[in-house]
Amino acid sequence: MRPRGERRIIALADGGFDLLEAKTAVGVIRYAIDPVVAVVDQAHAGKRASDVIGVGDLIPVVASVGDALALHPDANTLLLGTAPRGGVLPASWRAQIVQAMRAGLDVINGLHAFLSDDAELAPVAAAAGVTIWDARRVPDAHRVADTRAHALPATVILTVGSDCNVGKMSTALEVDALLRKRERTSVFVPTGQTGIMIAGWGASIDEVISDFTAGAAEDLVMEAAKVAAAADDFILVEGQGSLVHPGYSGVTLSLIHGSAPDALILCHQATRTQIRRYTLPIPSYADLISIHRALTAPVKPAPVIAISLNTHGMPDADARAAVARATAETGLPATDPIRFGPDALVDAVEAFGRARANSR
Amino acid sequence: MRPRGERRIIALADGGFDLLEAKTAVGVIRYAIDPVVAVVDQAHAGKRASDVIGVGDLIPVVASVGDALALHPDANTLLLGTAPRGGVLPASWRAQIVQAMRAGLDVINGLHAFLSDDAELAPVAAAAGVTIWDARRVPDAHRVADTRAHALPATVILTVGSDCNVGKMSTALEVDALLRKRERTSVFVPTGQTGIMIAGWGASIDEVISDFTAGAAEDLVMEAAKVAAAADDFILVEGQGSLVHPGYSGVTLSLIHGSAPDALILCHQATRTQIRRYTLPIPSYADLISIHRALTAPVKPAPVIAISLNTHGMPDADARAAVARATAETGLPATDPIRFGPDALVDAVEAFGRARANSR
């Protein structure tokens, strides 16, 4: 596989290229060091990525992998950028994946279904001499969490959310980047396929056997602590799911108890009132904060110290009002780190780190 | 494999035959329909099972599988009855398992390590014509929970706990059995290897990939609802782990949100003050109840309706005092269902079921 820094990526997002569905494509477009040269989605063919998702100014959306290759013959990597519910490979994608591999493209796959185990696709990759990287494949470490990350020198911050796809990864990336810009040592800990593709390491913890999920999260934090080793360093852990999500809450709690954060940033999409794909209402900020307090207190207390809002698609005045309301309801700093910059979140994180150092 | 009802079991529990470690052996001795004819544990060889664990009056504890076979040549099944932390097969057991298989015994294995995949043991089983049943092997169904178990006619009761190994399975089995004795339709839902070995169906949900753990729990309840289909029927779900357990809390929350209980029975070992193998204190009854309320309220409210205490090893007066204290602190019915019988718990379950039916 071409190393990071040498990839030119076609992102296959057919049938789901929007902010909610194409989380991986959006994350890689926004944060990875390798360029996405085209996005494949029939429904939006002819547009630019920025028309659809607000980032990726110059990236054309085309109707097929064939069109993308015609436009960018130097593309060398195909990214499966949509993570459909359950993670199964859509049948309609197979022909396009085969076409890309035969054209010499490596494949980066973020789905639950492992393409390197696929009876049809694996032989095609071998014959074409290209590599399939299944980013969700997890190490076979079967270790129960043992609280080893409970007393690290560095301050560990975990992003948690009111739902899936509200901005937990982006918030962690933005806070990590600004901390480093402020000349702090900070390490971003990827816990899902997109974060892994962006950062080049990590583990997709929702793919781990549930008995060992907290252990896997603990291992990731211990790895980060080798770099962020001092008392004024930071570890920014990418959150997953939500404690109030009927399908994924167990992943979230494993991550909370395994990564053992010192503090939490609560992420929410400002316009969302129900858990996506379910008819369950999202609790108030106050209830979300108290649910997280209830679950962290008995294992390792971790207060919510700031609110990160995703205000995508809202008029600016509404976004400002949503931020003000979050602060009014919680007494905590709030912002949309993408729209307004992550300064308010980073100020809160640094202040928390100082207070923590002083109390030790 | 010999069918249930025709097995004569040797339980291999070497190095760990006590109430805390040999959970599977104890559960099978107490609840399965097939007899355990001998327990293997060098440390307790010469005793009776009842000397060590308080049940299994006539079952000898012997030093080796060879001794067990000499005593009971008609034994036909070897049970790996200890579930060591992490579930890995102790190296010292291999020779004894080989010996048993060569003597014609089937193997029932509750460990994480699958013996039917084992490069040494699987060929021995094939050559000997015996069967290995890996009870933790889970179906390959990758389904995210979708709240389908949220509105069943039957009343769904889940046992939850202050820690692992406090009596969640035994409580569900005892309540289920007494409900059926009272001529109610009730189904016990096994969610771990011992429950599966006792009931002959189920899934070891801690072995499921964490994204799909809640979905697996939901599937089990839907299966039970085919039998317990009426509004005055009951489904008793075996709990796993604890919301305050640093390693296994994610499994617990997946089970809570996936099985979608109408009410909870909180289980606790009366003498335990810390999470076993950790230095974390167990919260008070009031805190445990409010933690469960916080996590169930946003998805499907499920009150704690009774306390089930494990008072094993306590003098009778102390056990009665512990039960009285649980009721005084919570206002809820409490008992030790093994020592005092499960009537108080079943009364609470039936009363809850009636109130639920009246409010619908």
Side-chain angles (χ1 to χ4, degrees):
Chain A
M1 166 145 248
R2 283 86 174 177
R4 287 175 79 215
E6 296 181 16
R7 298 173 194 159
R8 296 178 57 77
I9 298 170
I10 295 172
L12 179 55
D14 221 2
F17 186 54
D18 60 58
L19 257 189
L20 292 181
E21 299 298 333
K23 185 176 162 181
T24 299
V26 171
V28 171
I29 288 171
R30 188 179 274 151
Y31 296 108
I33 62 173
D34 295 295
V36 173
V37 297
V39 172
V40 177
D41 184 6
Q42 282 195 327
H44 294 290
K47 298 180 187 171
R48 300 269 154 179
S50 53
D51 300 333
V52 187
I53 57 166
V55 297
D57 279 342
L58 302 173
I59 304 171
V61 183
V62 298
S64 68
V65 166
D67 289 355
L69 287 169
L71 207 60
H72 287 283
D74 58 345
N76 59 22
T77 303
L78 181 72
L79 176 81
L80 303 196
T82 301
R85 193 139 180 273
V88 175
L89 180 69
S92 63
W93 290 17
R94 289 187 168 267
Q96 301 199 71
I97 296 169
V98 167
Q99 182 184 8
M101 292 194 295
R102 287 189 175 147
L105 277 67
D106 294 320
V107 178
I108 300 179
N109 170 36
L111 309 189
H112 276 291
F114 294 151
L115 302 193
S116 55
D117 294 342
D118 187 280
E120 177 192 2
L121 299 175
V124 174
V130 299
T131 304
I132 294 172
W133 176 28
D134 290 311
R136 279 182 183 259
R137 196 184 288 278
V138 289
D140 202 27
H142 283 186
R143 210 179 57 71
V144 176
D146 64 5
T147 75
R148 73 178 66 179
H150 273 220
L152 297 174
T155 298
V156 180
I157 307 286
L158 170 68
T159 52
V160 296
S162 60
D163 193 0
C164 296
N165 286 64
V166 295
K168 294 180 292 288
M169 182 192 74
S170 298
T171 298
L173 283 163
E174 295 282 349
V175 169
D176 168 69
L178 182 54
L179 280 167
R180 285 186 284 108
K181 202 168 160 193
R182 291 185 183 181
E183 303 192 336
R184 310 299 296 255
T185 296
S186 176
V187 175
F188 168 74
V189 175
T191 61
Q193 72 278 14
T194 305
I196 294 167
M197 289 181 202
I198 292 168
W201 73 291
S204 196
I205 64 148
D206 60 4
E207 192 71 23
V208 177
I209 288 171
S210 61
D211 249 7
F212 309 115
T213 307
E218 197 172 71
D219 284 343
L220 291 176
V221 170
M222 295 310 293
E223 188 66 24
K226 294 177 184 171
V227 174
D232 55 354
D233 295 346
F234 293 92
I235 294 171
L236 266 293
V237 184
E238 176 194 1
Q240 293 293 336
S242 168
L243 282 181
V244 300
H245 190 287
Y248 301 129
S249 57
V251 178
T252 308
L253 187 54
S254 295
L255 179 54
I256 290 175
H257 284 165
S259 68
D262 297 294
L264 309 173
I265 297 174
L266 175 62
C267 304
H268 175 56
Q269 185 176 22
T271 55
R272 205 177 301 184
T273 57
Q274 285 197 336
I275 302 292
R276 190 157 66 100
R277 297 196 176 106
Y278 296 81
T279 54
L280 291 163
I282 291 175
S284 67
Y285 292 121
D287 283 348
L288 286 168
I289 289 170
S290 79
I291 289 166
H292 285 85
R293 186 189 306 120
L295 263 294
T296 54
V299 177
K300 177 179 170 183
V304 174
I305 60 167
I307 312 284
S308 179
L309 285 181
N310 176 345
T311 64
H312 180 75
M314 296 171 79
D316 221 54
D318 291 3
R320 285 180 198 285
V323 166
R325 194 164 53 244
T327 292
E329 287 185 20
T330 63
L332 295 172
T335 193
D336 179 335
I338 305 294
R339 186 191 289 248
F340 302 122
D343 302 77
L345 304 179
V346 175
D347 293 347
V349 165
E350 289 200 298
F352 179 84
R354 280 191 300 274
R356 176 173 173 267
N358 290 337
S359 71
R360 280 157 77 94
Chain B
M1 167 146 247
R2 282 87 172 175
R4 289 176 77 215
E6 296 181 15
R7 299 173 193 158
R8 296 178 57 77
I9 298 170
I10 296 172
L12 178 55
D14 220 3
F17 187 55
D18 59 59
L19 253 189
L20 290 181
E21 300 297 333
K23 184 176 161 180
T24 299
V26 172
V28 170
I29 288 172
R30 188 178 275 152
Y31 296 109
I33 62 174
D34 295 295
V36 173
V37 297
V39 172
V40 176
D41 183 5
Q42 283 195 329
H44 294 291
K47 300 181 187 169
R48 301 269 155 179
S50 53
D51 300 333
V52 187
I53 57 166
V55 296
D57 278 343
L58 302 174
I59 304 172
V61 183
V62 298
S64 68
V65 166
D67 288 356
L69 287 169
L71 207 59
H72 287 282
D74 58 345
N76 58 22
T77 304
L78 181 73
L79 176 80
L80 305 195
T82 301
R85 195 142 179 273
V88 175
L89 181 69
S92 62
W93 289 18
R94 288 186 168 269
Q96 299 199 72
I97 295 169
V98 167
Q99 182 184 7
M101 292 193 297
R102 288 189 175 144
L105 277 67
D106 295 319
V107 178
I108 300 179
N109 170 37
L111 308 189
H112 276 292
F114 294 151
L115 301 193
S116 55
D117 293 341
D118 188 280
E120 178 192 1
L121 299 176
V124 174
V130 300
T131 304
I132 294 172
W133 176 28
D134 289 313
R136 278 182 183 258
R137 196 184 287 279
V138 289
D140 202 26
H142 284 185
R143 210 180 57 72
V144 176
D146 64 5
T147 74
R148 75 179 65 179
H150 273 221
L152 296 173
T155 298
V156 180
I157 307 287
L158 171 68
T159 53
V160 295
S162 61
D163 193 1
C164 296
N165 286 64
V166 294
K168 295 181 292 290
M169 182 192 75
S170 298
T171 298
L173 283 163
E174 294 282 350
V175 170
D176 168 69
L178 183 54
L179 280 167
R180 286 186 283 107
K181 202 168 160 192
R182 291 185 184 182
E183 303 193 337
R184 311 299 295 253
T185 296
S186 175
V187 175
F188 168 75
V189 175
T191 62
Q193 71 278 11
T194 305
I196 293 168
M197 289 180 203
I198 292 168
W201 74 290
S204 196
I205 64 149
D206 60 4
E207 191 71 23
V208 176
I209 288 172
S210 61
D211 249 6
F212 309 115
T213 307
E218 197 172 70
D219 284 343
L220 292 176
V221 170
M222 295 309 293
E223 188 66 26
K226 294 177 184 171
V227 174
D232 56 354
D233 294 347
F234 293 92
I235 294 171
L236 267 292
V237 184
E238 175 194 2
Q240 293 293 336
S242 168
L243 282 181
V244 300
H245 190 286
Y248 302 129
S249 57
V251 179
T252 308
L253 187 54
S254 295
L255 180 54
I256 290 175
H257 284 166
S259 69
D262 297 294
L264 308 173
I265 297 174
L266 174 62
C267 304
H268 175 57
Q269 185 175 21
T271 54
R272 205 178 302 184
T273 57
Q274 286 197 338
I275 302 291
R276 189 158 66 102
R277 297 199 176 103
Y278 297 80
T279 54
L280 291 164
I282 290 176
S284 67
Y285 292 121
D287 283 349
L288 286 169
I289 289 169
S290 79
I291 290 166
H292 285 84
R293 188 189 304 120
L295 264 293
T296 54
V299 177
K300 177 179 172 183
V304 173
I305 59 168
I307 312 283
S308 179
L309 285 180
N310 176 344
T311 64
H312 180 75
M314 296 171 78
D316 220 53
D318 291 3
R320 286 180 197 284
V323 167
R325 194 165 54 246
T327 291
E329 287 186 21
T330 63
L332 295 172
T335 193
D336 179 336
I338 305 294
R339 185 190 290 249
F340 302 122
D343 303 71
L345 304 179
V346 174
D347 292 347
V349 165
E350 288 200 298
F352 178 84
R354 280 191 300 274
R356 176 173 173 268
N358 290 338
S359 71
R360 280 157 76 94

